[in-house]
Amino acid sequence: MMPPHCAEISLDRSGIPRSCVIEAGHEGDHMDRQGRTWEPPGLVLVRLRDAWGGTHRIVWTGRMWIATSHRRDVHWRTEVEPTPAQLEESLHAHSRPPTRPRTGNTP
């Protein structure tokens, strides 16, 4: 008898679902039948919030990635994408990246 597989589901760039075929309880990235891997959503969410949380609320619905600007007066307030990479592409295209503190000896 085969052990149960993880079955974590993610969408590809076309919005087509793919599920993880690695044994349940595995650590690290997920992998579909074609050998394509993706990061666990919890890790991606932390990374996106670290990068964009100052300007946007970032949410993983279990199917789609959503970023909503904290400001109401922006033209592109909400971005909805099937993959984190596409969400970041949309954010870069429609928003200014968050301001990062300067490092070094500049006043």
Side-chain angles (χ1 to χ4, degrees):
M1 186 164 121
M2 291 180 53
H5 60 82
C6 170
E8 173 75 32
I9 295 175
S10 179
L11 300 178
D12 68 10
R13 291 186 69 82
S14 300
I16 298 170
R18 58 187 178 159
S19 59
C20 181
V21 296
I22 300 175
E23 188 174 315
H26 71 89
E27 294 183 17
D29 290 354
H30 298 284
M31 183 173 65
D32 66 12
R33 287 191 173 141
Q34 286 77 37
R36 297 173 298 184
T37 61
W38 68 95
E39 288 180 278
L43 295 177
V44 175
L45 191 57
V46 168
R47 181 172 49 79
L48 289 175
R49 285 179 175 166
D50 284 348
W52 293 94
T55 57
H56 290 77
R57 179 173 182 250
I58 307 295
V59 177
W60 163 240
T61 68
R63 194 153 175 96
M64 300 295 278
W65 293 91
I66 301 172
T68 303
S69 176
H70 296 308
R71 294 179 51 194
R72 294 177 188 261
D73 63 341
V74 294
H75 182 68
W76 290 93
R77 183 145 192 242
T78 302
E79 306 287 347
V80 180
E81 298 290 352
T83 70
Q86 287 172 295
L87 182 67
E88 287 194 283
E89 289 169 13
S90 292
L91 286 169
H92 282 290
H94 301 133
S95 305
R96 277 189 285 154
T99 305
R100 301 219 185 265
R102 292 184 189 192
T103 58
N105 295 330
T106 55

